[in-house]
Amino acid sequence: MVTEVNLCGVRLKNPVIPASGTFGFGIEMADAYDLNVLGGISLKGTTLQPRYGNECPRIAECPDGMINSVGLQNPGVETFVNEKLPALRKVFKGAVIANVSGFSVDEYVAACERADEAPQTDIIEVNVSCPNVHGGGLAFGTSPESAAQVTAAVKRVCRKPVFVKLSPNVTDIAAIARACEQAGADGLTLINTVLGMRINIAARRCVTHEKYGGFSGRAIFPIALRMVNQVRHACSLPIMGCGGVSCADDVIEMMMAGANAVQVGAENLRNPFVCKQIVEELPSAMKKYGIDDLNSIVGIV
Amino acid sequence: MKDQTFTIKSNERVADGIYRMTLNGDASQIVRGGQFVDITVPGKFLRRPLAAMDWSGDSLTVVYKTVGKGTAQMSELKAGAELNVLLPLGNGFDASKCREKALVVSGGLGASPVYGLVKDLLARGREVKLIMGFNSAGDAVLVEDYKKLGVDVTVVTMDGSIGMKGLVTDAIRELQPQHDFFYTCGPKVMMKAVCDMLPGPGQASLEERMGCGCGICYGCTCHTKKGPRRVCADGPVFDKEDIIW
């Protein structure tokens, strides 16, 4: 039974990857279980400078999901490269995906360059879609032109595969995917969170300190599937499918829609052991559906 | 950290909107009062973080208030029901910081997280003075449990329906309890007032709306004098001098 997948030459023992922002810098979970069961880990988003992020409350419960407005809290790319990556590499042999955000093309380039230089990094994931930051990532990910601009600029300084992580909060995700492909992207990750809001009725204000936040969790799985499928048919880049995945069946469904690997996000927050459990369930799920090689089902629908 | 299935032994209303749930299961990984557990509530996406009041190798007690639909649903669960519990979480109070005499100040449901601390302090042979503040007799909880431990308790209520009338700070001012270290847990305004009025060192347990509860989502970060800290994993207990109120 083959679970190994390949992303632009980076081999993953299985397609299961905790999504950026839902698994810290990986090391936080090293005591909970052996991380080496995972195909890869997409690390918490990094920016050039350290960021506190948004004020609390940053979290709101939703039906079958949640909203977060963390706002890209991170210690900055220098600490990321000098402390977080080496610490993770000591305990993890799988694919390390450095997720990078920025507030200008120059910032993206500078942060990606540092992350790319780090020997521990296997893949650069460029977040052009974080909906939390005012005037930030959202602007780049919402038009084909600006998404292509960031992609091209980052590609000029990176030697490692560059995956652009796309926002679902757009009219035509296929057009943005094609623009990234033409600008030189090596792959795509989708979808990021869906912009949402919750109101505390009694208090007559938003639950989160920021008015809007990123909605994720099981409820967005059908949206993610549809968009992965649209992008699969719009371009030929490898895809890390993400959004509402919570079990091995979801991984298979996401791959059938067109994903080459699958990221698990919000589910980690309700069950920090879920990625390990999915990896364990995967062989029996494959057997159940008569799948010998996961690569054979990618994009069959 | 592990997740484990616990079975509800009892789940009873103990005060206005406040319930005490005892579960059967191994909670021996909890080592300090002020640590918490994260409980899966059927039909809710995120777990509910609740302080461990008391625990052992085969039992766990939590005391909780019905503040939203999740906790309201929890209050309807019957004995025999199974719940998935993530534990142990958070750092907890450091009883070793007290050398001789401890002052413990709780407000409302803050009486629950300090129960394990008080037991720990007593086991270490420390002298403990406990001041418990409540709005009124209707929301007073755990007073009898503390009396059973043999600890010196003063109860204060806003309306004077039991104990002294006033705030915990009034009781501190009046009693001037001797102590070399203090611990506090309760509403933020109360803890701030306690930290502001007591000159010596102490610890306070902060509260924030959480995502994961185990340090991976950064959903509950607070400002501290040492920089941003996650309430769930770096806290919830912080040294007084590090807290930015």
Side-chain angles (χ1 to χ4, degrees):
Chain A
M1 216 171 259
V2 179
T3 58
E4 184 179 301
V5 299
N6 189 311
L7 296 173
C8 309
V10 180
R11 283 160 60 171
L12 284 70
K13 66 198 307 191
N14 62 61
V16 181
I17 304 164
S20 179
T22 66
F23 212 70
F25 296 98
I27 34 184
E28 294 91 332
M29 282 297 290
D31 291 336
Y33 65 84
D34 181 1
L35 300 178
N36 289 304
V37 299
L38 303 170
I41 302 175
S42 179
L43 304 182
K44 180 151 179 55
T46 299
T47 52
L48 186 60
Q49 302 298 333
R51 281 179 57 83
Y52 178 80
N54 296 322
E55 295 302 324
C56 284
R58 295 175 169 185
I59 302 288
E61 168 92 25
C62 302
D64 273 328
M66 56 170 286
I67 284 174
N68 91 83
S69 63
V70 171
L72 291 177
Q73 180 187 339
N74 78 93
V77 76
E78 284 308 314
T79 303
F80 175 72
V81 165
N82 296 327
E83 294 174 24
K84 305 295 182 184
L85 284 175
L88 177 61
R89 208 28 122 192
K90 273 186 195 158
V91 295
F92 183 58
K93 297 181 186 71
V96 170
I97 302 166
N99 181 289
V100 179
S101 286
F103 304 96
S104 68
V105 173
D106 290 347
E107 274 187 33
Y108 273 110
V109 168
C112 284
E113 195 169 14
R114 284 296 284 128
D116 183 77
E117 282 164 7
Q120 301 88 356
T121 305
D122 293 305
I123 291 173
I124 302 286
E125 185 172 67
V126 183
N127 174 18
V128 292
S129 49
C130 185
N132 287 331
V133 180
H134 309 293
L138 188 65
F140 291 103
T142 47
S143 85
E145 294 75 21
S146 54
Q149 190 192 3
V150 175
T151 305
V154 165
K155 271 299 288 178
R156 278 195 286 274
V157 297
C158 291
R159 293 161 302 151
K160 289 170 183 161
V162 172
F163 277 64
V164 181
K165 185 169 180 180
L166 303 182
S167 168
N169 307 308
V170 297
T171 312
D172 184 359
I173 199 159
I176 294 168
R178 280 191 296 265
C180 292
E181 184 178 38
Q182 282 156 18
D186 300 294
L188 300 168
T189 301
L190 65 147
I191 58 177
N192 206 318
T193 56
V194 180
L195 204 54
M197 102 188 263
R198 287 310 301 271
I199 292 168
N200 177 333
I201 299 170
R204 302 188 178 207
R205 54 177 156 77
C206 292
V207 172
T208 49
H209 181 269
E210 297 297 302
K211 201 170 178 185
Y212 310 133
F215 179 46
S216 61
R218 297 170 181 194
I220 71 164
F221 184 59
I223 302 173
L225 271 185
R226 183 263 298 175
M227 288 189 145
V228 165
N229 195 246
Q230 284 177 319
V231 169
R232 171 85 296 149
H233 292 299
C235 71
S236 58
L237 295 176
I239 295 170
M240 286 192 266
C242 182
V245 174
S246 67
C247 59
D249 273 22
D250 290 353
V251 169
I252 290 171
E253 204 173 336
M254 188 61 96
M255 293 184 83
M256 285 183 167
N260 301 80
V262 179
Q263 296 189 353
V264 181
E267 194 69 16
N268 287 303
L269 275 54
R270 64 196 307 274
N271 175 10
F273 299 96
V274 70
C275 288
K276 176 178 183 278
Q277 288 160 3
I278 290 175
V279 169
E280 288 163 357
E281 282 169 16
L282 209 45
S284 60
M286 288 169 69
K287 197 176 170 198
K288 181 169 66 173
Y289 298 111
I291 301 163
D292 293 324
D293 180 349
L294 281 178
N295 298 284
S296 70
I297 62 166
V298 173
I300 59 166
V301 176
Chain B
M1 177 178 69
K2 59 175 184 173
D3 72 333
Q4 197 184 308
T5 303
F6 280 68
T7 309
I8 297 175
K9 188 179 168 195
S10 61
N11 187 22
E12 290 159 356
R13 185 183 168 281
V14 289
D16 291 345
I18 299 174
Y19 292 78
R20 178 181 187 137
M21 183 188 277
T22 299
L23 303 116
N24 288 323
D26 179 7
S28 58
Q29 288 197 347
I30 299 170
V31 293
R32 280 179 170 187
Q35 287 190 295
F36 64 99
V37 301
D38 222 355
I39 299 182
T40 300
V41 182
K44 288 290 159 190
F45 190 76
L46 293 169
R47 292 168 184 260
R48 293 298 179 270
L50 298 171
M53 177 216 149
D54 202 8
W55 64 88
S56 70
D58 57 10
S59 156
L60 168 69
T61 301
V62 293
V63 181
Y64 62 97
K65 201 171 189 169
T66 51
V67 288
K69 286 179 191 162
T71 38
Q73 252 170 272
M74 262 187 76
S75 71
E76 285 159 21
L77 295 170
K78 304 279 181 252
E82 292 186 337
L83 289 176
N84 185 277
V85 179
L86 195 64
L87 83 171
L89 301 171
N91 58 355
F93 292 101
D94 186 353
S96 74
K97 293 210 173 195
C98 170
R99 293 186 310 276
E100 269 180 67
K101 294 178 179 178
L103 170 62
V104 180
V105 184
S106 73
L109 211 51
S112 170
V114 296
Y115 185 80
L117 165 71
V118 169
K119 276 176 75 170
D120 192 354
L121 289 164
L122 292 173
R124 289 164 189 264
R126 304 291 178 266
E127 203 175 293
V128 181
K129 172 67 196 172
L130 173 64
I131 296 176
M132 306 176 79
F134 300 102
N135 287 320
S136 70
D139 64 0
V141 286
L142 301 180
V143 178
E144 288 309 312
D145 294 85
Y146 282 107
K147 285 184 177 165
K148 275 183 208 157
L149 290 180
V151 64
D152 175 13
V153 184
T154 298
V155 174
V156 197
T157 52
M158 303 270 276
D159 64 1
S161 51
I162 50 164
M164 285 175 61
K165 185 175 192 300
L167 303 167
V168 292
T169 42
D170 297 326
I172 295 169
R173 207 170 287 122
E174 192 167 318
L175 302 169
Q176 298 283 335
Q178 282 199 346
H179 61 279
D180 57 81
F181 202 86
F182 75 88
Y183 303 90
T184 183
C185 184
K188 201 170 179 175
V189 284
M190 182 210 86
M191 292 193 292
K192 181 181 185 303
V194 169
C195 286
D196 285 348
M197 102 182 270
L198 295 172
Q203 291 188 320
S205 180
L206 303 184
E207 191 172 36
E208 193 48 74
R209 195 177 273 264
M210 289 176 187
C212 63
C214 59
I216 55 176
C217 81
Y218 291 70
C220 62
T221 299
C222 66
H223 297 276
T224 75
K225 287 175 188 164
K226 289 180 173 164
R229 290 289 184 271
R230 298 159 300 175
V231 170
C232 71
D234 302 313
V237 176
F238 292 90
D239 289 333
K240 170 188 143 177
E241 62 267 27
D242 295 335
I243 298 171
I244 298 173
W245 296 101

CSV table of all heavy atoms in Angstrom, one decimal, chain B residues 2 20 152:
chain,number,residue,atom,x,y,z
B,2,LYS,N,-2.2,14.1,27.5
B,2,LYS,CA,-2.9,12.9,26.8
B,2,LYS,C,-4.3,13.2,26.8
B,2,LYS,O,-4.8,14.1,27.5
B,2,LYS,CB,-2.6,11.7,27.6
B,2,LYS,CG,-3.1,11.8,29.1
B,2,LYS,CD,-2.9,10.5,29.8
B,2,LYS,CE,-3.5,10.6,31.2
B,2,LYS,NZ,-3.5,9.4,32.0
B,20,ARG,N,-20.9,21.1,40.0
B,20,ARG,CA,-19.7,20.4,40.4
B,20,ARG,C,-19.8,19.0,39.7
B,20,ARG,O,-20.8,18.3,39.9
B,20,ARG,CB,-19.7,20.2,41.9
B,20,ARG,CG,-18.5,19.4,42.5
B,20,ARG,CD,-18.7,19.4,44.0
B,20,ARG,NE,-17.6,18.8,44.6
B,20,ARG,CZ,-17.0,19.2,45.7
B,20,ARG,NH1,-17.5,20.3,46.3
B,20,ARG,NH2,-16.0,18.6,46.3
B,152,ASP,N,-7.9,28.2,57.6
B,152,ASP,CA,-8.5,29.4,58.2
B,152,ASP,C,-9.2,30.2,57.0
B,152,ASP,O,-8.5,30.8,56.2
B,152,ASP,CB,-7.4,30.2,58.8
B,152,ASP,CG,-7.9,31.5,59.4
B,152,ASP,OD1,-9.1,31.7,59.5
B,152,ASP,OD2,-7.0,32.3,59.7
